[in-house]
Amino acid sequence: DHDPKMPRLDKSFFLRPTIVLAQRLLGCKLVHVLGTEIVAGIIVETEAYLCEEDPACHASKGETKRNRTMFGPPGCLYVYSIHNRYCMNIVSEKAGYGAAVLVRALEPTQGFGIMSAFRPVLKPRDLTNGPGKLCQSLGIDIHFNGEDLVESKRIWLESASESVDFEVRSTPRIGISQATDLPYRFFVDGSPFVSGRARVHSQSRDLFLGTGLCT
């Protein structure tokens, strides 16, 4: 079960503007139960995708079979496949709106051996410094599409630790071809697990929010 010192996030947490949720998710812990084992990590990078005036959002042209989950209740996972990988998004705002936050990167805190088995890499930071990488390392696939983070017994989010302090920076989103100017990417400044180039950080990339398991 989840750590009582880190309360599991409820529905009200996800029922907020997408850009706000994208920032509030930073520092929160994603927990996935695999049988008797647990893999977990702290979210250090997100991207917001809005239904209105955001052509990069899958829901921008209305509801389809593929994006139907985006129009569901807040706190559900919207998982889709791209280039033989999976990307995990968290539905935001009210049901029927069609917006979500992409989880781009995690700092691993638990289950390092399992992650390494799923995704053998030389550097620990390469386990989860990208949306497809973190899904592979955590064992997240299309079967998690529609999973409710509030009610699920196998995957959930825990609130950020009050003892952890960090700065949030924003840039345009990366890896997309439309609306590339919108500053909807948010990340923990100085985290070595954030994807992309180091120059977007204002400090050395040596800030660890968790246990330092992967140092």
Side-chain angles (χ1 to χ4, degrees):
D1 204 353
H2 68 281
D3 185 346
K5 296 179 182 179
M6 300 276 283
R8 181 169 174 161
L9 298 178
D10 60 19
K11 188 73 72 178
S12 64
F13 180 87
F14 305 102
L15 186 61
R16 63 179 77 227
T18 309
I19 292 176
V20 175
L21 179 62
Q23 297 172 74
R24 290 291 301 274
L25 283 168
L26 297 176
C28 295
K29 183 174 14 174
L30 179 69
V31 181
H32 178 204
V33 179
L34 287 162
T36 60
E37 304 292 334
I38 289 178
V39 291
I42 298 173
I43 298 175
V44 296
E45 182 182 4
T46 61
E47 286 181 347
Y49 286 87
L50 283 60
C51 182
E52 300 172 345
E53 300 180 356
D54 184 2
C57 177
H58 286 183
S60 62
K61 295 182 179 180
E63 184 176 338
T64 65
K65 182 178 180 180
R66 184 195 188 198
N67 69 21
R68 187 165 298 153
T69 303
M70 289 189 72
F71 293 86
C76 286
L77 289 181
Y78 167 50
V79 180
Y80 63 88
S81 60
I82 181 172
H83 305 313
N84 296 317
R85 291 187 176 183
Y86 300 98
C87 291
M88 176 175 57
N89 303 258
I90 300 172
V91 177
S92 58
E93 312 212 25
K94 62 182 180 181
Y97 182 70
V101 176
L102 173 68
V103 181
R104 277 203 61 92
L106 298 173
E107 175 187 323
T109 58
Q110 190 171 354
F112 178 65
I114 297 174
M115 292 185 192
S116 299
F118 282 144
R119 180 175 168 77
V121 293
L122 295 177
K123 299 179 180 179
R125 69 179 301 270
D126 289 332
L127 281 171
T128 52
N129 62 342
K133 296 176 182 180
L134 71 86
C135 282
Q136 182 182 4
S137 293
L138 270 66
I140 305 297
D141 59 21
I142 199 66
H143 296 97
F144 284 80
N145 186 44
E147 191 86 4
D148 188 344
L149 290 172
V150 177
E151 301 293 339
S152 177
K153 302 298 184 182
R154 62 175 176 168
I155 188 168
W156 61 82
L157 280 172
E158 296 176 358
S159 61
S161 172
E162 295 182 356
S163 63
V164 175
D165 186 31
F166 57 86
E167 296 294 327
V168 176
R169 291 180 67 83
S170 66
T171 70
R173 296 168 296 190
I174 56 181
I176 58 175
S177 58
Q178 300 183 79
T180 55
D181 59 324
L182 298 176
Y184 293 166
R185 173 184 174 229
F186 304 94
F187 59 90
V188 172
D189 190 24
S191 169
F193 295 95
V194 171
S195 65
R197 300 183 182 277
R199 65 170 179 256
V200 299
H201 295 259
S202 69
Q203 59 181 308
S204 299
R205 299 180 69 178
D206 55 8
L207 176 63
F208 289 83
L209 303 183
T211 61
L213 178 65
C214 293
T215 55

